[in-house]
């Protein structure tokens, strides 16, 4: 694959990874300027599909990529046809976005990316990420962005992760500043878990770099860790108490949890997990179909865990092979990478996958299909970060 083709696939994938916060920033700019435009996400989706059509015409994707997309359509189609009236309501606009925007781009473009380095190392990508992070914070401060705390932080999580990897793995020092800004907006307006996923990504990245440096008889990157720990102490000792005494306490989910001493407590999961376990233990060999969990859990809750969700929806017969395939893809992707590739895989897992261990639904959220496509591209033999390639 040529570098030009890789860049085209990377650009449209990057747009999908950042599309929601970017769209919110565009809306914020127009509203702040007093310009009333009927902006809708569907217009952006249609534009992306036009771009995808041009890509298909120019680069002629392999037949297996189109078959992969067809399999996804058939999977959802069969589940819809067999769904009960109670579960059909959950085949909503989010599912439509997966089937007609994210899935085709993921199968045709994302799976064919052989070099992911530019989004972490190319200043054009980084400047774009920085602008979106700053504008997202301003839109919340101004009260124009009304997106919920969960959606807000998870849509920005891939951008925060790019800042972290760019700063820690590729030495782009200005990205530390924008990572701090991202952390602040996550603290003031986001959810708890994304902050934890960023911390885990930082640990993975530092460990990989340290192991690499030790093997090359170099000193591990101690200074970034000291700076990070110093910043963490400052935040805990000065910034968080100041925020708890400010008006942000009334609007921040994270700060409310800290103030109440319930930061590590999750009542919905505490209530729903035992129910999920009981249902799974009693369902036998039945296959209930997608979104079944929402019809049997209290108040229409979802399972909050990928294993429970898959087993309750697909049963033991289809659920176990599905889970083995997903976790097998993760293991295979890690196993085949050089040091840089391990950092990239860690990035995709932390920003696109870990949430499904505690929240979210893999069947009606767009990030899951993107996650599978990214890992598929990483473990392909032509990937620039497989172990038989030179480190990038």
């Amino acid at each position: 694959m040529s570098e030009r083709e890789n860049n085209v696939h990377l650009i449209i994938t990057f747009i999908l990874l950042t599309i929601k916060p970017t769209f919110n920033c565009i809306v914020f700019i127009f509203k702040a300027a007093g310009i009333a435009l009927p902006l809708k996400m569907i217009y952006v989706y249609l534009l992306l599909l036009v771009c995808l059509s041009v890509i298909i015409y120019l680069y002629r994707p392999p037949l297996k990529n189109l078959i992969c997309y067809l399999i996804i359509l058939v999977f959802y189609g069969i589940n819809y046809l067999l769904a009960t009236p109670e579960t059909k309501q959950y085949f909503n606009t989010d599912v439509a976005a997966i089937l007609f925007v994210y899935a085709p781009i993921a199968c045709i473009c994302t799976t064919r990316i052989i070099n992911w380095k530019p989004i972490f190392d190319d200043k054009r990508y980084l400047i774009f990420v920085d602008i979106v992070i700053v504008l997202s914070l301003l839109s919340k401060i101004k009260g124009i962005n009304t997106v919920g705390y969960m959606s807000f932080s998870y849509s920005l999580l891939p951008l925060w992760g790019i800042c972290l990897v760019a700063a820690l793995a590729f030495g782009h020092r200005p990205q530390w500043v924008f990572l701090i800004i991202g952390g602040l907006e996550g603290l003031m307006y986001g959810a708890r878990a994304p902050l934890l996923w960023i911390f885990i990504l930082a640990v993975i990245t530092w460990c990989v770099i340290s192991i690499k440096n030790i093997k090359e008889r170099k000193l591990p990157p101690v200074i970034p860790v000291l700076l990070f720990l110093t910043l963490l102490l400052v935040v805990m000792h000065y910034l968080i108490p100041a925020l708890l005494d400010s008006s942000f306490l009334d609007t921040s989910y994270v700060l409310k949890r800290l103030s109440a001493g319930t930061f590590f407590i999750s009542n919905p999961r505490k209530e729903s997990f035992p129910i999920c376990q009981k249902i799974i233990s009693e369902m036998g060999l039945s296959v209930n179909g997608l979104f079944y969990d929402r019809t049997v859990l209290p108040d229409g809750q979802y399972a909050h865990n990928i294993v429970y969700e898959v087993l309750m929806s697909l049963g033991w017969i289809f659920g176990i092979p599905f889970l083995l395939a997903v976790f097998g893809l993760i293991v295979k992707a890690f196993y085949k990478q050089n040091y840089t590739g391990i950092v990239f895989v860690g990035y995709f897992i932390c920003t696109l996958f870990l949430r499904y261990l505690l929240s979210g639904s893999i069947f009606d959220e767009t990030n899951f299909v993107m996650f599978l496509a990214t890992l598929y591209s990483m473990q392909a033999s032509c990937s620039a970060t497989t172990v038989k390639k030179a480190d990038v």
Side-chain angles (χ1 to χ4, degrees):
M1 179 187 295
S2 66
E3 182 179 352
R4 180 184 178 87
E5 184 177 354
N6 182 82
N7 288 338
V8 169
H9 293 153
L10 190 61
I11 288 171
I12 194 169
T13 297
F14 177 77
I15 291 173
L16 274 191
L17 287 175
T18 61
I19 190 171
K20 291 180 180 179
T22 300
F23 179 79
N24 291 332
C25 287
I26 294 173
V27 172
F28 164 66
I29 292 172
F30 281 116
K31 286 187 176 180
I35 302 174
L37 288 178
L39 295 175
K40 294 182 179 180
M41 183 67 78
I42 191 172
Y43 301 149
V44 182
Y45 286 155
L46 291 174
L47 181 60
L48 286 175
L49 291 180
V50 172
C51 295
L52 178 63
S53 301
V54 174
I55 292 172
I56 293 174
Y57 174 77
L58 291 177
Y59 298 111
R60 300 292 194 275
L63 181 60
K64 64 179 182 180
N65 295 68
L66 300 176
I67 293 176
C68 179
Y69 173 51
L70 179 61
I71 290 173
I72 295 175
L73 288 177
V74 171
F75 172 76
Y76 276 90
I78 292 174
N79 273 276
Y80 181 78
L81 292 175
L82 299 178
T84 63
E86 291 79 13
T87 56
K88 276 189 177 180
Q89 64 178 309
Y90 298 107
F91 288 83
N92 50 27
T93 54
D94 292 326
V95 174
I98 293 173
L99 295 181
F100 303 114
V101 181
Y102 284 82
I105 292 177
C107 292
I108 295 169
C109 298
T110 308
T111 56
R112 302 188 66 206
I113 295 173
I114 62 174
N115 184 12
W116 287 93
K117 184 181 178 182
I119 68 171
F120 305 101
D121 197 33
D122 190 315
K123 289 185 178 180
R124 291 170 294 183
Y125 286 98
L126 298 181
I127 290 173
F128 181 86
V129 167
D130 298 341
I131 292 173
V132 173
I133 288 176
V134 172
L135 289 178
S136 296
L137 178 58
L138 293 176
S139 70
K140 278 293 189 180
I141 292 175
K142 294 292 185 179
I144 294 178
N145 188 332
T146 58
V147 176
Y149 69 92
M150 188 76 73
S151 298
F152 177 76
S153 53
Y154 271 114
S155 67
L156 283 167
L157 181 57
L159 286 79
W160 300 342
I162 289 174
C163 287
L164 173 63
V165 173
L168 189 53
F170 293 101
H172 292 277
R173 294 179 181 177
Q175 296 310 120
W176 288 113
V177 175
F178 295 98
L179 178 61
I180 293 171
I181 295 174
L184 288 175
E185 66 188 356
L187 189 64
M188 293 187 293
Y189 301 107
R192 295 167 293 171
L195 300 175
L196 174 61
W197 307 147
I198 280 294
F199 178 78
I200 292 175
L201 177 59
V203 172
I204 291 173
T205 304
W206 183 82
C207 288
V208 171
I209 295 173
S210 298
I211 293 172
K212 178 184 177 183
N213 287 348
I214 291 172
K215 286 190 175 183
E216 295 176 352
R217 298 187 178 182
K218 299 178 182 178
L219 291 176
V222 177
I223 294 179
V225 176
L226 293 177
L227 290 175
F228 177 77
L229 292 176
T230 301
L231 175 64
L232 189 62
L233 290 173
V234 170
V235 168
M236 294 178 65
H237 188 71
Y238 295 104
L239 183 58
I240 291 181
L243 291 174
L244 290 175
D245 290 333
S246 70
S247 60
F248 288 116
L249 179 62
D250 299 328
T251 57
S252 170
Y253 177 80
V254 175
L255 293 177
K256 286 180 181 177
R257 286 285 190 168
L258 286 171
S259 177
T262 59
F263 186 80
F264 297 103
I265 299 175
S266 178
N267 291 327
R269 295 165 186 82
K270 186 178 179 180
E271 296 172 358
S272 63
F273 280 6
I275 300 176
C276 291
Q277 294 165 5
K278 184 175 185 296
I279 293 172
I280 292 171
S281 66
E282 296 176 350
M283 69 182 183
L285 297 179
S286 60
V287 178
N288 300 302
L290 301 188
F291 311 121
Y292 173 73
D293 54 333
R294 305 180 191 197
T295 66
V296 292
L297 292 177
D299 302 321
Q301 293 183 43
Y302 52 88
H304 284 87
N305 177 272
I306 180 176
V307 176
Y308 292 155
E309 180 182 15
V310 169
L311 291 179
M312 293 173 70
S313 298
L314 304 182
W316 295 101
I317 298 175
F318 300 107
I320 293 297
F322 183 93
L323 291 171
L324 289 176
V326 171
F327 288 104
L329 181 64
I330 294 174
V331 173
K332 187 177 180 182
F334 263 125
Y335 179 75
K336 298 184 70 173
Q337 301 304 306
N338 59 23
Y339 290 111
T340 304
I342 293 174
V343 171
F344 293 168
V345 172
Y347 164 81
F348 292 126
I349 289 175
C350 291
T351 60
L352 301 179
F353 177 73
L354 285 184
R355 74 162 300 181
Y356 299 116
L357 300 179
L358 297 176
S359 67
S361 168
I362 66 171
F363 296 124
D364 73 347
E365 293 187 9
T366 55
N367 277 349
F368 186 68
V369 68
M370 295 298 295
F371 168 72
L372 295 180
T374 57
L375 286 205
Y376 181 87
S377 74
M378 292 293 297
Q379 57 84 42
S381 59
C382 58
S383 171
T385 54
T386 52
V387 290
K388 65 181 181 180
K389 298 285 185 179
D391 203 356
V392 294

